[in-house]
Amino acid sequence: MTRPAVLFVCVHNAGRSQMAAAFLAAVAGDRIEVLSAGSQPGATVNPVAVAAMAEVGIDIAAAQPKILTPDAVQASDVVITMGCGDECPYFPGKRYEDWVLDDPAGQDLSFVRRVRDDISTRVDALVDSLIPKEDAS
């Protein structure tokens, strides 16, 4: 089986999609290709998201927001959107999921922790759906 590619997309690629990509990379290792992008990427990753992820041992301080391109969508098997609406290109044959998550932009650490934990739970379920159980260990 080829390695599936997952693209996480949110507007600024500065919070939710960065946290999701980091969780997926941490959980799946090299078994899943992980990408993230934004329809209107910010200049930097949200420092509160960086702090929230550091609490669970994942460093996203060096991550950089990236622009969403049709090529990134086309190269992905699964596209997870997080509030970018109709700005996400659609290609037939891709698996699309829309994760309704609160935007951590401008929020305090306790708020961002709740978003982080919600993302972690969803990422675990995503991995379970993409990696057969015998390959999960």
Side-chain angles (χ1 to χ4, degrees), residues 9-11 16 39 81-88 98-101:
V9 181
C10 67
V11 175
R16 295 167 289 188
S39 53
T81 58
M82 304 171 173
C84 66
D86 59 3
E87 294 187 45
C88 294
D98 184 40
W99 290 0
V100 178
L101 297 161

Side-chain angles (χ1 to χ4, degrees), residues 51-125:
M53 293 300 286
E55 289 181 343
V56 294
I58 299 175
D59 183 3
I60 62 170
Q64 290 294 310
K66 296 171 247 7
I67 186 73
L68 175 65
T69 65
D71 288 345
V73 176
Q74 199 159 22
S76 300
D77 299 296
V78 180
V79 179
I80 309 289
T81 58
M82 304 171 173
C84 66
D86 59 3
E87 294 187 45
C88 294
Y90 178 82
F91 291 95
K94 306 292 177 194
R95 173 177 156 189
Y96 287 85
E97 293 184 22
D98 184 40
W99 290 0
V100 178
L101 297 161
D102 291 324
D103 188 349
Q107 301 296 330
D108 65 18
L109 186 56
S110 65
F111 183 95
V112 177
R113 283 181 184 129
R114 288 191 300 275
V115 175
R116 175 201 66 202
D117 294 346
D118 187 1
I119 291 169
S120 177
T121 300
R122 292 170 189 251
V123 165
D124 288 343

Side-chain angles (χ1 to χ4, degrees), residues 5-53:
V6 175
L7 171 64
F8 293 101
V9 181
C10 67
V11 175
H12 300 295
N13 190 222
R16 295 167 289 188
S17 57
Q18 292 285 352
M19 289 190 288
F23 271 126
L24 183 56
V27 172
D30 63 357
R31 296 172 295 170
I32 296 175
E33 181 179 357
V34 182
L35 307 162
S36 70
S39 53
Q40 299 171 25
T44 61
V45 173
N46 179 338
V48 183
V50 172
M53 293 300 286

